[in-house]
Amino acid sequence: MIGTIFILFFSISSFSYTCASLTLCRPDQRDALLQFKSEFELRSPPEFNDEVMQGGWISFNVTSYPKTKSWENNTDCCYWKGITCVANTGVVIGLDLSCSCLHGHFKPDSSLFRLRHLRSLNLAYNDFNGSSIPSEINKLMGLQRLNLSHSSFFGKIPTEILHLTKLVSLDLSSTSFINSQTLLATEKPFLSQLAQNLTNLRQLDMSYVSISSYIPQVVISNLTSLRSIRLHHCHLFGKFPPLSPTIRSIDLSVNPHLESSLPEFSANNSLVYLDLTDTSLSGNIPYSISNLKHLKVLRFYNCKFTKKIPSSIGNLSHLNILDLSSNNFAGEIPPSFQNLNRMTELDLWKNKLTGKIPTALFNLPKLSVLMLDSNQFTGTLPPNITSLSNLNIFYASSNSFFGTIPSTFFNIPSLETFVLNDNQFNGPLEIGNISSMSKLRTLDLSKNNFTGPIPRSISKLVNLVTLDLSYFNIRGPLDIGIFWHLKSLDYLRLSQLNTTTTIDINAILSSPLKSLTSLDLSGNNVSLENVSSVSTHTSQLEYLNLSSCGITVFPELIRSLQYINTIDLSNNNIKGQVPAWLWRLPELTNVHLSNNSFSGFKEFPKDLSRTKIEATYLSKNNFSGEIPRSICDMGSLRVVDLSNNNFNGSVPQCLSNLIKRSLLVLHLNNNHFSGKLPDIFLNGSILRSLNVGHNQLVGKLPRSLSDCSTLEVLNIEHNRIKDIFPFWLESLPNLHVLILRSNEFHGSLQYHPKVSSFFPQLRIIDISDNDFTGTLPSDFFMYWKAMHSEGDRSELKYIGGDTYYQVSMVLMNKGIEMNYTRILTLLTAINLSGNRLQGNIPES
């Protein structure tokens, strides 16, 4: 979680002044406090969110208590919860109502501003319901500490807050968003004005405030007292600022437009914490980073650093956490890392690091987290790693390690996560004599070259929750009963085991594995016999993958899986009809039935308005007839793939309901649809892929396609569409692929774009075998910016990614059809052949 280990200077209850036992609260102070209390309701606090590294969100709860509930008129306010008074005068100098369940609109003339002697004000973790921060706050001129964080303030931060010149601590941070927009924002000169006015500031946190500015030099030169600055997710841009010698903590993470390279670091510094996660800083890390001799935490996750990791990092003897993951570092891990004896977490995943892992790395006594996955490491793991007695998490997947896995790993008492999938480990798996105290919860050894039986000693890892042994080359029988002792298993993946045993799924569902929610047996022979003797109604199963299991009948046992949300029966030979009860399963969201021999639907339900189904993959079957109209009632449907079947009739008009509401992918290609493609794409702003190729559609392209602002793929090939070239799609900002091949398009390609960026993301266009005529404009290709761009070659990505859909297509190259099952985002292709174009090919 970003910022979790950030050095906190803004304590929720940081205002501590002792009241003398004889203190009497001044009446004007008491009255102001009671009126302030009356301005709000007391409600349970909202759920707060914090960002995790991969860009997702995690909810967290804050312990709250209604402090103002005990405030009574006939008692001394200096003894009320959250109140601090000066002992000899009775004036209120501290108000800490953090986590106090306050709810309501914050009045611009709130009675709070009558407490003119306040030095400390903490209103964090309340819900002020989108109120503006009142400009009247400048009446509290004595404030030294101000914390308004996480309290649902909204709008522009008033510049009057910068009149509080005595402030030493200011926290306006938030982790909440409304409609993906940050709650608070500033005018552009705000940081400069802050540096000029608040010269006593020691701690500043404005995370999630939309500052939209560079960091002015004056912030460093004027704020000579500054010790901590946190500007996480503030839309900062420009260069990384020079360091002040007194600053101890810097967090500028999640500012992707913060660019340039790192400066040289001088020896005159006090830096303890540096987080530049998710910025665009690039180049190499300077050797002078060793001058940050006090540094304990260094996070450079997901930047654009390249070249070798400097060996001088090994001189940072106080370093506890080093995160260099998701960059483009190359070369080997510096041997000097053996000097980092205080290291508890080392993250190097997703780089281009090579060579062997230094043996000394496995001798760091305090190392708890070691992340080496997604690199190009090779060699074997060291056989003796007894020094890693505190290792809790070890990831080394997606590398080229080989040899056997040392059994000593399984005896590390603290190890909970051990992930080595997608390597070249070979030979038999030896787990050895496992301690009964093993804490291992996650074990993933999939996609390696292990041979022989799965060791029976795996049954002693009784705390396992996740186990993946896929692609284990057993070459013999499998005793499925060895897993019965793993009663905490939640996720079990045993795909592609190359075993002579037919796995009885009923035995698994009736086994002691009562916590199992995810089961993958794909690529094995599976038995579905004796269904009636098995009670599956108590199963907690949510995910079931039986793809490529040689199944010929629809598994009746699925009917009793009331918690199931994903079913994959693809790549089998199931014949007959899809049962009606499937669509009524209460939690079902994803249905994968592609590449079977289904011929139809048995009593397709007429009312599917309450279904939760989001994705239906029914391609490569023998379905025929018209599309069932009730499919349009599925209110959550995001993917419809009916390609490569024998559907006929017209494309249903009612699909407009889905397109308007939720549909991302509509694939109807390789069927027998006829008639016009209906004008159903109005308000289709989330549709990403449309493929109606290889049908018998006629007429013109629906003009409502121009509404599909997120469309990435449009494939109309091999129909009888009779229209001119769709220049009216020119401004679609995300269109990558446009396939119009083998239709009846006609007319000239002479056109002068109406927008500055003409098909801005288009990388593949095929308009071959139509009836276009005339010459090509001299500037025809110059507007296609994506065609000229090489793109980011540091990581290969596919159109559609690993999400809801994959793009496959046939491209012609010198008369030869080339079948692409997946399309790289870097691929560019232009095919204008088979038309009646004349003249020279434009130089553009």
Side-chain angles (χ1 to χ4, degrees):
M1 190 183 299
I2 293 177
T4 300
I5 312 179
F6 187 84
I7 300 172
L8 292 175
F9 294 93
F10 304 111
S11 170
I12 286 177
S13 301
S14 61
F15 313 131
S16 54
Y17 294 87
T18 304
C19 297
S21 58
L22 297 178
T23 298
L24 290 177
C25 174
R26 279 176 31 177
D28 63 311
Q29 306 280 280
R30 179 194 62 219
D31 294 344
L33 288 168
L34 287 173
Q35 187 172 342
F36 182 65
K37 170 187 175 180
S38 70
E39 293 172 9
F40 302 99
E41 300 176 14
L42 295 179
R43 287 191 192 178
S44 297
E47 190 176 68
F48 297 98
N49 295 318
D50 200 5
E51 199 168 8
V52 294
M53 272 191 184
Q54 285 74 15
W57 295 88
I58 187 169
S59 299
F60 65 95
N61 293 316
V62 173
T63 302
S64 296
Y65 173 77
K67 298 174 186 175
T68 60
K69 195 172 184 178
S70 63
W71 292 8
E72 298 293 342
N73 191 21
N74 57 355
T75 57
D76 188 344
C77 75
C78 290
Y79 292 94
W80 292 349
K81 293 185 183 299
I83 306 299
T84 304
C85 296
V86 175
N88 58 348
T89 64
V91 298
V92 176
I93 58 171
L95 178 58
D96 182 0
L97 292 181
S98 58
C99 310
S100 292
C101 306
L102 300 181
H103 175 86
H105 190 74
F106 206 107
K107 296 181 178 180
D109 58 348
S110 172
S111 60
L112 173 70
F113 305 125
R114 287 156 41 194
L115 302 174
R116 301 294 178 86
H117 300 281
L118 274 181
R119 300 177 195 169
S120 301
L121 174 61
N122 190 345
L123 299 176
Y125 294 100
N126 288 290
D127 183 6
F128 297 124
N129 202 25
S131 303
S132 298
I133 298 176
S135 58
E136 296 291 300
I137 199 166
N138 66 354
K139 291 182 177 179
L140 305 179
M141 293 298 293
L143 273 183
Q144 298 174 11
R145 298 179 181 274
L146 176 60
N147 190 343
L148 304 179
S149 64
H150 309 279
S151 289
S152 298
F153 282 111
F154 186 79
K156 295 288 185 183
I157 297 174
T159 54
E160 284 82 359
I161 212 167
L162 302 179
H163 299 169
L164 305 176
T165 57
K166 295 183 180 180
L167 279 179
V168 297
S169 176
L170 176 61
D171 189 347
L172 302 176
S173 63
S174 174
T175 54
S176 300
F177 288 80
I178 295 178
N179 297 327
S180 300
Q181 299 296 315
T182 49
L183 294 178
L184 288 171
T186 66
E187 299 292 349
K188 286 190 176 179
F190 188 88
L191 283 182
S192 295
Q193 293 175 6
L194 180 148
Q196 291 167 0
N197 291 10
L198 307 185
T199 55
N200 295 310
L201 208 59
R202 294 173 61 87
Q203 294 92 33
L204 174 65
D205 190 346
M206 294 181 65
S207 299
Y208 298 96
V209 175
S210 182
I211 296 176
S212 299
S213 164
Y214 65 94
I215 303 176
Q217 171 64 35
V218 70
V219 171
I220 305 301
S221 59
N222 270 31
L223 300 181
T224 55
S225 299
L226 195 64
R227 298 293 181 271
S228 168
I229 182 170
R230 186 169 190 244
L231 300 177
H232 168 89
H233 209 300
C234 289
H235 304 130
L236 299 173
F237 54 82
K239 296 183 177 182
F240 181 76
L243 293 181
S244 162
T246 58
I247 200 160
R248 292 174 53 82
S249 183
I250 298 176
D251 183 350
L252 302 179
S253 57
V254 195
N255 287 289
H257 298 294
L258 194 63
E259 300 174 327
S260 79
S261 56
L262 288 173
E264 293 292 333
F265 298 104
S266 72
N268 183 22
N269 72 83
S270 307
L271 202 61
V272 174
Y273 183 101
L274 179 59
D275 189 349
L276 301 177
T277 291
D278 274 317
T279 62
S280 293
L281 293 172
S282 58
N284 62 304
I285 298 177
Y287 191 85
S288 59
I289 198 166
S290 60
N291 287 331
L292 305 180
K293 51 186 177 294
H294 305 289
L295 203 62
K296 293 184 178 180
V297 176
L298 179 61
R299 293 193 183 277
F300 287 169
Y301 164 75
N302 201 28
C303 297
K304 296 182 178 180
F305 291 114
T306 56
K307 301 183 180 179
K308 292 185 176 182
I309 299 173
S311 60
S312 58
I313 287 182
N315 297 329
L316 301 176
S317 58
H318 294 279
L319 205 59
N320 300 139
I321 296 174
L322 176 61
D323 188 350
L324 304 179
S325 54
S326 198
N327 281 281
N328 288 304
F329 290 113
E332 299 185 358
I333 297 176
S336 60
F337 273 31
Q338 67 182 333
N339 301 325
L340 302 175
N341 290 320
R342 300 185 185 185
M343 181 84 75
T344 60
E345 180 178 337
L346 176 59
D347 298 323
L348 300 176
W349 60 278
K350 204 174 182 184
N351 280 285
K352 297 177 180 178
L353 298 171
T354 56
K356 297 181 178 180
I357 307 300
T359 304
L361 201 62
F362 292 94
N363 293 324
L364 299 178
K366 296 185 177 181
L367 197 62
S368 172
V369 177
L370 180 57
M371 311 278 278
L372 304 175
D373 42 316
S374 300
N375 279 285
Q376 299 166 22
F377 292 122
T378 186
T380 59
L381 297 180
N384 189 359
I385 51 162
T386 53
S387 297
L388 284 178
S389 57
N390 292 303
L391 190 64
N392 181 251
I393 297 173
F394 181 41
Y395 279 84
S397 58
S398 301
N399 282 287
S400 297
F401 292 114
F402 56 84
T404 58
I405 297 175
S407 60
T408 48
F409 270 102
F410 296 97
N411 286 311
I412 299 175
S414 56
L415 191 63
E416 293 189 18
T417 301
F418 190 34
V419 178
L420 298 179
N421 62 291
D422 201 10
N423 277 284
Q424 297 173 25
F425 291 109
N426 51 36
L429 175 63
E430 296 181 2
I431 293 181
N433 296 319
I434 299 172
S435 166
S436 60
M437 301 299 291
S438 172
K439 295 181 179 179
L440 199 62
R441 292 172 56 84
T442 298
L443 177 61
D444 188 347
L445 303 179
S446 62
K447 296 184 179 178
N448 280 285
N449 299 320
F450 294 115
T451 56
I454 297 173
R456 303 191 66 85
S457 52
I458 203 168
S459 63
K460 294 182 180 179
L461 300 173
V462 294
N463 290 308
L464 276 180
V465 175
T466 298
L467 176 61
D468 192 343
L469 299 176
S470 299
Y471 294 87
F472 203 108
N473 193 4
I474 294 177
R475 296 180 180 174
L478 167 68
D479 179 6
I480 197 73
I482 64 175
F483 303 113
W484 290 176
H485 294 283
L486 309 179
K487 297 180 181 179
S488 297
L489 266 187
D490 173 83
Y491 177 101
L492 178 60
R493 187 169 184 179
L494 300 173
S495 66
Q496 305 285 347
L497 292 182
N498 191 22
T499 174
T500 57
T501 299
T502 298
I503 300 174
D504 185 356
I505 187 173
N506 301 296
I508 297 177
L509 294 178
S510 59
S511 73
L513 304 181
K514 301 303 181 186
S515 299
L516 198 64
T517 66
S518 182
L519 176 62
D520 185 351
L521 299 176
S522 59
N524 296 296
N525 289 320
V526 170
S527 168
L528 300 171
E529 296 178 1
N530 302 320
V531 174
S532 59
S533 65
V534 178
S535 174
T536 59
H537 69 275
T538 59
S539 173
Q540 304 297 308
L541 211 60
E542 298 174 6
Y543 174 91
L544 177 62
N545 190 341
L546 298 178
S547 174
S548 304
C549 287
I551 299 171
T552 58
V553 296
F554 203 99
E556 183 71 18
L557 62 88
I558 293 174
R559 187 173 191 166
S560 301
L561 301 177
Q562 292 301 299
Y563 299 101
I564 198 77
N565 62 50
T566 298
I567 297 169
D568 191 343
L569 298 175
S570 62
N571 303 304
N572 284 290
N573 192 26
I574 306 175
K575 298 180 175 64
Q577 296 180 315
V578 179
W581 53 257
L582 176 70
W583 312 105
R584 297 191 182 100
L585 289 173
E587 302 299 326
L588 191 62
T589 58
N590 297 287
V591 182
H592 298 258
L593 302 179
S594 58
N595 205 15
N596 278 284
S597 299
F598 289 110
S599 57
F601 304 98
K602 186 175 183 179
E603 299 177 11
F604 199 86
K606 293 182 179 180
D607 183 8
L608 290 171
S609 57
R610 296 183 180 180
T611 182
K612 295 181 180 179
I613 294 175
E614 295 182 2
T616 56
Y617 299 92
L618 306 179
S619 65
K620 297 181 181 178
N621 279 283
N622 296 320
F623 291 113
S624 59
E626 295 188 346
I627 296 177
R629 294 305 191 260
S630 54
I631 198 173
C632 301
D633 297 329
M634 295 183 178
S636 302
L637 203 56
R638 298 167 72 83
V639 176
V640 175
D641 187 354
L642 306 179
S643 61
N644 294 281
N645 281 286
N646 295 307
F647 286 109
N648 56 36
S650 59
V651 175
Q653 181 75 33
C654 67
L655 287 174
S656 62
N657 298 333
L658 296 178
I659 292 169
K660 190 183 307 179
R661 190 167 49 219
S662 58
L663 203 62
L664 295 174
V665 176
L666 179 58
H667 288 177
L668 304 178
N669 51 294
N670 295 84
N671 281 284
H672 304 294
F673 293 111
S674 57
K676 293 182 178 181
L677 183 60
D679 209 2
I680 55 177
F681 303 99
L682 197 65
N683 300 318
S685 58
I686 63 172
L687 189 68
R688 291 176 58 184
S689 180
L690 174 64
N691 190 342
V692 294
H694 292 273
N695 282 287
Q696 298 159 26
L697 299 173
V698 298
K700 294 185 176 183
L701 280 184
R703 281 357 187 212
S704 57
L705 281 169
S706 61
D707 259 22
C708 301
S709 56
T710 60
L711 194 65
E712 296 175 346
V713 178
L714 177 58
N715 191 338
I716 314 289
E717 65 183 337
H718 287 277
N719 281 284
R720 288 184 287 143
I721 302 294
K722 192 170 186 178
D723 204 346
I724 61 173
F725 185 86
F727 290 110
W728 41 272
L729 295 175
E730 64 182 347
S731 60
L732 289 184
N734 298 297
L735 191 63
H736 285 61
V737 178
L738 178 61
I739 307 293
L740 306 179
R741 178 175 61 239
S742 298
N743 277 280
E744 297 177 17
F745 286 96
H746 58 87
S748 171
L749 294 178
Q750 291 283 341
Y751 181 73
H752 296 289
K754 297 176 182 178
V755 291
S756 58
S757 191
F758 177 69
F759 291 105
Q761 294 299 324
L762 195 65
R763 297 186 70 89
I764 297 174
I765 181 171
D766 186 345
I767 60 173
S768 61
D769 297 320
N770 281 285
D771 195 28
F772 293 113
T773 58
T775 59
L776 294 176
S778 59
D779 57 357
F780 188 69
F781 301 106
M782 67 180 295
Y783 295 100
W784 297 354
K785 293 183 179 179
M787 292 277 193
H788 300 282
S789 170
E790 291 189 3
D792 183 5
R793 296 179 178 270
S794 63
E795 181 182 2
L796 296 181
K797 296 181 180 178
Y798 295 91
I799 295 175
D802 297 319
T803 53
Y804 287 97
Y805 74 101
Q806 294 180 359
V807 178
S808 60
M809 65 183 64
V810 174
L811 294 176
M812 300 295 294
N813 186 6
K814 297 181 180 180
I816 300 174
E817 288 190 351
M818 302 181 67
N819 196 350
Y820 290 81
T821 56
R822 300 186 73 183
I823 305 296
L824 284 168
T825 55
L826 296 174
L827 181 65
T828 58
I830 300 173
N831 191 351
L832 310 181
S833 63
N835 286 283
R836 291 192 293 143
L837 298 170
Q838 304 174 21
N840 296 325
I841 298 174
E843 291 185 8
S844 62

